[in-house]
Amino acid sequence: MIKFFGLLSKRKKVKPHIAASIFVATLNNVIDQGFIEIRDFINNNNNLDSNPHLSIKDIDWFRNIIFLGNIYMLDEFFEENEKLKLRELILDELYKDLIIEKQNLEIERFLDYEKYFLDLISENEFTVNAMAYAIFEKYNINDFQGDLFKRKNKPNPIFFNELKNLIKHFIWNWEDYLEKNKLTF
């Protein structure tokens, strides 16, 4: 009963800016290391007729997609005001190393892309689906598909499902984090 009320809770209290910093650093690390696998998956996929020739330089769109999907998922774990504060802290942390002018441009670009992503969310049932479709569109994967799917302008379902399964590895696990930590807004 005492644990129920949180009196004996072993959760560590964490300030939101610390959580945002950990979130951004960890996701950036996973993206930097994991994009190589995504790139190789797309470039060498048997379900595509030709190789899109993605390079390591193509990581920027992928980074935006991963952060947008993860930021969108904050709704599942936080109240509206907490989500907005955390989102703001994440964006600040994401672009903190840039000079102010470049920082403002990058945040503006991110927010513009967020509008596009929200449209994808409304068209797709799940966030991971929207993330996979954003990758399909932003890397022009349709241009490398067979004629049937190219005409339909839809991703090959086998390719799409494999991509979704890979993207799931880039989703922040708030359940585990919040089981061990309590954000103090």
Side-chain angles (χ1 to χ4, degrees):
M1 185 71 143
I2 293 176
K3 188 174 182 179
F4 176 74
F5 290 114
L7 298 174
L8 294 178
S9 176
K10 294 181 183 182
R11 295 190 322 167
K12 185 171 100 175
K13 291 183 180 181
V14 177
K15 298 272 186 203
H17 72 278
I18 300 294
S21 178
I22 293 168
F23 176 86
V24 169
T26 304
L27 271 182
N28 270 327
N29 187 37
V30 170
I31 290 166
D32 289 341
Q33 293 182 20
F35 180 71
I36 294 165
E37 288 187 39
I38 297 293
R39 181 195 69 193
D40 291 347
F41 163 76
I42 293 171
N43 285 342
N44 302 314
N45 197 287
N46 294 333
N47 295 302
L48 299 177
D49 277 2
S50 58
N51 186 331
H53 297 292
L54 296 183
S55 73
I56 199 66
K57 295 177 201 168
D58 295 314
I59 197 170
D60 287 340
W61 280 119
F62 183 72
R63 187 178 314 280
N64 280 339
I65 291 165
I66 297 303
F67 272 99
L68 281 166
N70 277 285
I71 288 171
Y72 180 79
M73 294 174 118
L74 293 174
D75 285 345
E76 297 175 28
F77 301 96
F78 299 98
E79 299 293 327
E80 184 67 20
N81 61 331
E82 296 171 338
K83 179 195 82 162
L84 291 174
K85 179 66 175 168
L86 200 51
R87 180 181 173 276
E88 177 186 327
L89 291 168
I90 289 168
L91 288 177
D92 288 345
E93 184 69 25
L94 193 56
Y95 299 113
K96 73 178 181 182
D97 294 331
L98 301 175
I99 60 172
I100 296 295
E101 293 81 22
K102 181 91 169 136
Q103 187 180 54
N104 290 338
L105 286 172
E106 287 299 315
I107 290 174
E108 190 174 314
R109 185 179 91 156
F110 187 88
L111 295 175
D112 285 343
Y113 194 65
E114 185 176 43
K115 292 174 190 169
Y116 159 76
F117 189 76
L118 291 175
D119 288 342
L120 286 180
I121 291 286
S122 67
E123 296 169 13
N124 293 276
E125 188 175 348
F126 302 104
T127 304
V128 171
N129 292 11
M131 294 166 77
Y133 197 79
I135 290 169
F136 175 79
E137 281 196 342
K138 285 301 173 186
Y139 292 123
N140 298 312
I141 304 298
N142 193 52
D143 296 344
F144 305 97
Q145 296 193 108
D147 289 336
L148 174 65
F149 291 111
K150 192 182 284 189
R151 277 193 309 266
K152 290 181 176 184
N153 195 24
K154 297 282 183 198
N156 176 313
I158 296 169
F159 170 83
F160 194 67
N161 285 330
E162 290 173 350
L163 182 58
K164 287 188 311 187
N165 287 334
L166 288 172
I167 288 172
K168 289 176 185 175
H169 297 284
F170 296 89
I171 302 298
W172 181 264
N173 190 339
W174 280 110
E175 272 184 29
D176 282 356
Y177 186 81
L178 293 174
E179 192 174 294
K180 299 171 188 158
N181 302 286
K182 177 176 176 42
L183 270 63
T184 54
F185 286 92

